[in-house]
Amino acid sequence: MTQSAISAVAQTWITHDPDPDTAAELSACDPDELARRFNNPLTFGTAGLRGPVRGGPDAMNMAVVLRTTWAVAQVLKDQLAHDSTGFIPSETQVVVGRDARHRSDEFALAAAEVLAAQGFQVLLMLAAVPTPVVAFAVRHRSATAGIQITASHNPPADNGYKVFGKGGMQIISPTDREIEAAVARAPHADEIPRATVQTGGLKEIRHYLERAAHVRHTTGSLRVALTPLHGVGGEFALDALAMAGFDDVYVVESQFAPDPDFPTVAFPNPEEPGATDALLTLAAKASADVAIALDPDADRCAVGIPTADGWRMLSGDETGWLLGDYILSQVEPGPVSEATVVASTVVSSRMLAEIAAAHGAHHAETLTGFKWLARAGGPGTTLAYAYEEAIGHCVDPAAVRDKDGISAAIAFCDLVVALRDQGRTVQDALDGLALRHGVHVTGAVSRPVEDAEAAMSRLRTTPPAELAGFPVSVEDLLHRPGEQRTDALILTGGDERTTVRVVVRPSGTEPKLKSYTEVRCAPTDDLTMARARANTLNDELATAAALF
């Protein structure tokens, strides 16, 4: 848009902004700042809308929430109109929840009121809840949709808007694009009708906790160190762990209460350096058996274990291997296992596929994000487990068809007890997997770029001829059919003993190229030497990826 067009659109927005604070903020912006805010409205990315809490269509604010929710309502009604039952207001439910970020309570209430005015029966959660509670409630109540106000592990200044469809699965195209198109024709924010709603959800929360506790199979005590990283998962995790029989839990007190400013961490993501330092210190001091870190909306779970060299956090892939192997070990061999599917994403480790084959099950590879993982498998199959390397784990797909940090934490504690009963440790289990399936070492590299699309184009035109000394073959995922098509490249090389792999894709939220590396060395009894070689080669992959 031209400067004058932007000015006209901005003035109309300001005039109809229902929040006087953001209206005043926009009125004080210079033309360049207004251009930045109005040229690029928020769109649905891998996990919904996310942006800073401030004025304008490129951010999270009351006007954006109202107009987006109006659009969601129109798309849902259009979809229901094409169903055999049609749109029956008394039977059409939507669940609305929120985390504890800045203004999450206001945004959730506004979304619920808009949906109610559009004729939906709305369950507005009475308090801040983990994201998997909303996904569970949608599935448990056979609701039409769910909305969770959350920015997960984004910085404190951000908030977001996540939409679940039927079955409690995150929406995919064309639904997300249809919502964006409806936003473009939405009424002015202050003209969108709202109706009074009542809060509830205690029954759904209780059922969620009971179901999360149900993933346990062993008996016996375990000492757990826990941090929710200032998010909403603390009390929920304690309750679920206690229901599962894990009541010897030490918590990081300074990080236990929800706090939208996340004062003790530079970045509220368990994967970030330093984020779990307080947890590991507590785990060592308390002589814990396992350490658990949840992200702020408790849909992700990071695990720490004691080793001969002190405590360390597992990677998302390591946790994925362990949980995948443990869950598949409980599946009956034969026809049941042959109809069982486990899933991981294209940027995750390849080991889960080997683990699945060893158990007589199937492995599915999906695009990045749980909106794809939740749909893995096909007719006649049962999804038993799914994970992504970014510490997202779905251990009970029949109940929560999304990542769930709390049930994953219980499943991992259950695994630790099962190993202890066998006289083994988590490190022993990792060694056992490496002996059977080879040593796998993974990593990730992010490189800032001015233009991610141009950088991907250059890499497609002139890919590296070799990686870590091996000739490289290239698969371009833009050439894959249908839902498997995405903007990513897979670079692979190796010989009969070693495989190297790098997946490169543009970030969906920042001007960056993200590269995911993996080295596999064939099974050997000398794990020390194999790991040293794999780490050396992975370092070489990381060095090369930093130059893409």
Side-chain angles (χ1 to χ4, degrees):
M1 287 189 290
T2 64
Q3 198 72 268
S4 60
I6 291 170
S7 178
V9 170
Q11 188 55 55
T12 300
W13 181 287
I14 292 167
T15 300
H16 292 281
D17 193 330
D19 183 341
D21 290 335
T22 51
E25 173 196 327
L26 290 170
S27 295
C29 290
D30 62 34
D32 289 341
E33 179 61 19
L34 284 178
R36 281 190 287 271
R37 297 196 186 192
F38 281 82
N39 267 332
N40 298 292
L42 290 184
T43 57
F44 282 87
T46 304
L49 305 178
R50 287 188 193 173
V53 178
R54 54 171 174 74
D58 72 334
M60 281 294 294
N61 51 68
M62 188 60 70
V64 164
V65 169
L66 292 170
R67 298 179 80 245
T68 300
T69 308
W70 182 89
V72 168
Q74 308 318 304
V75 171
L76 291 177
K77 288 195 285 187
D78 286 347
Q79 291 175 345
L80 290 165
H82 291 88
D83 288 349
S84 58
T85 55
F87 176 53
I88 305 174
S90 62
E91 298 178 6
T92 309
Q93 300 182 341
V94 179
V95 180
V96 179
R98 63 176 175 89
D99 64 12
R101 283 178 176 266
H102 290 296
R103 304 198 66 184
S104 283
D105 53 350
E106 301 170 58
F107 294 161
L109 177 60
E113 291 177 342
V114 171
L115 290 163
Q118 292 293 320
F120 291 91
Q121 296 294 311
V122 181
L123 172 60
L124 174 61
M125 289 291 174
L126 75 169
V129 296
T131 295
V133 171
V134 172
F136 171 83
V138 173
R139 194 171 183 85
H140 180 70
R141 293 174 66 98
S142 298
T144 297
I147 294 170
Q148 172 77 338
I149 304 297
T150 180
S152 192
H153 53 273
N154 273 39
D158 289 359
N159 212 326
Y161 188 108
K162 179 175 286 190
V163 182
F164 294 98
K166 287 183 178 180
M169 293 184 284
Q170 294 179 46
I171 59 170
I172 58 173
S173 292
T175 301
D176 50 3
R177 304 286 86 90
E178 290 169 354
I179 294 171
E180 290 168 1
V183 169
R185 63 177 188 271
H188 298 305
D190 62 344
E191 298 173 353
I192 292 174
R194 298 165 69 170
T196 301
V197 295
Q198 300 295 318
T199 59
L202 276 177
K203 181 172 66 175
E204 284 71 25
I205 291 170
R206 183 175 70 252
H207 287 167
Y208 164 79
L209 294 171
E210 291 170 349
R211 181 65 187 232
H214 186 68
V215 304
R216 185 173 187 191
H217 297 278
T218 63
T219 59
S221 64
L222 190 76
R223 180 165 293 179
V224 181
L226 170 72
T227 179
L229 282 185
H230 301 292
V232 297
E235 293 289 353
F236 291 87
L238 285 181
D239 289 346
L241 285 164
M243 289 180 180
F246 299 119
D247 54 9
D248 186 7
V249 183
Y250 287 69
V251 301
V252 180
E253 295 287 353
S254 63
Q255 298 175 341
F256 191 75
D259 188 331
D261 293 319
F262 307 105
T264 69
V265 291
F267 198 83
N269 181 350
E271 293 183 291
E272 289 294 313
T276 57
D277 286 356
L279 172 68
L280 297 184
T281 297
L282 172 65
K285 183 177 180 180
S287 298
D289 298 296
V290 66
I292 300 292
L294 303 174
D295 76 338
D297 68 331
D299 66 348
R300 298 173 190 263
C301 172
V303 177
I305 63 168
T307 72
D309 300 318
W311 281 81
R312 76 172 181 94
M313 298 301 294
L314 299 178
S315 70
D317 282 315
E318 288 176 312
T319 304
W321 305 334
L322 292 162
L323 286 175
D325 185 61
Y326 185 53
I327 289 169
L328 286 172
S329 71
Q330 299 160 23
V331 175
E332 180 182 344
V336 176
S337 65
E338 291 169 6
T340 297
V341 173
V342 294
S344 55
T345 67
V346 68
V347 300
S348 300
S349 168
R350 302 299 87 199
M351 190 194 276
L352 185 63
E354 300 177 47
I355 292 170
H359 285 282
H362 296 279
H363 172 261
E365 179 186 277
T366 75
L367 300 184
T368 305
F370 258 87
K371 62 183 181 182
W372 303 112
L373 284 169
R375 293 169 168 83
T381 66
T382 299
L383 180 65
Y385 172 67
Y387 93 93
E388 59 184 357
E389 48 76 39
I391 60 174
H393 305 276
C394 175
V395 301
D396 187 9
V400 178
R401 203 75 170 191
D402 199 48
K403 53 188 177 293
D404 181 355
I406 293 174
S407 62
I410 293 171
F412 201 92
C413 289
D414 189 51
L415 165 63
V416 174
V417 173
L419 290 170
R420 187 182 62 193
D421 290 346
Q422 300 168 13
R424 303 170 68 211
T425 67
V426 173
Q427 187 59 54
D428 292 335
L430 286 171
D431 290 346
L433 291 173
L435 288 169
R436 292 193 297 276
H437 306 297
V439 166
H440 290 63
V441 172
T442 61
V445 178
S446 291
R447 184 173 77 84
V449 293
E450 290 186 6
D451 185 334
E453 183 177 342
M456 288 296 295
S457 178
R458 287 194 300 272
L459 189 58
R460 284 187 167 91
T461 302
T462 55
E466 64 175 41
L467 287 171
F470 297 104
V472 167
S473 61
V474 181
E475 180 186 2
D476 189 343
L477 272 59
L478 281 179
H479 296 156
R480 283 187 175 182
E483 292 181 349
Q484 287 296 308
R485 183 178 184 275
T486 191
D487 186 7
L489 294 172
I490 302 177
L491 313 175
T492 56
D495 56 26
E496 68 279 1
R497 299 293 300 171
T498 306
T499 302
V500 297
R501 183 175 187 267
V502 181
V503 183
V504 188
R505 69 177 180 89
S507 169
T509 57
E510 301 173 280
K512 290 182 177 180
L513 281 190
K514 304 187 77 172
S515 298
Y516 303 83
T517 64
E518 180 169 30
V519 175
R520 177 189 182 273
C521 293
T524 175
D525 291 338
D526 193 343
L527 293 182
T528 300
M529 181 175 291
R531 284 180 173 139
R533 172 172 166 73
N535 279 305
T536 297
L537 291 174
N538 200 55
D539 288 344
E540 293 181 28
L541 295 183
T543 299
L547 301 175
F548 287 166

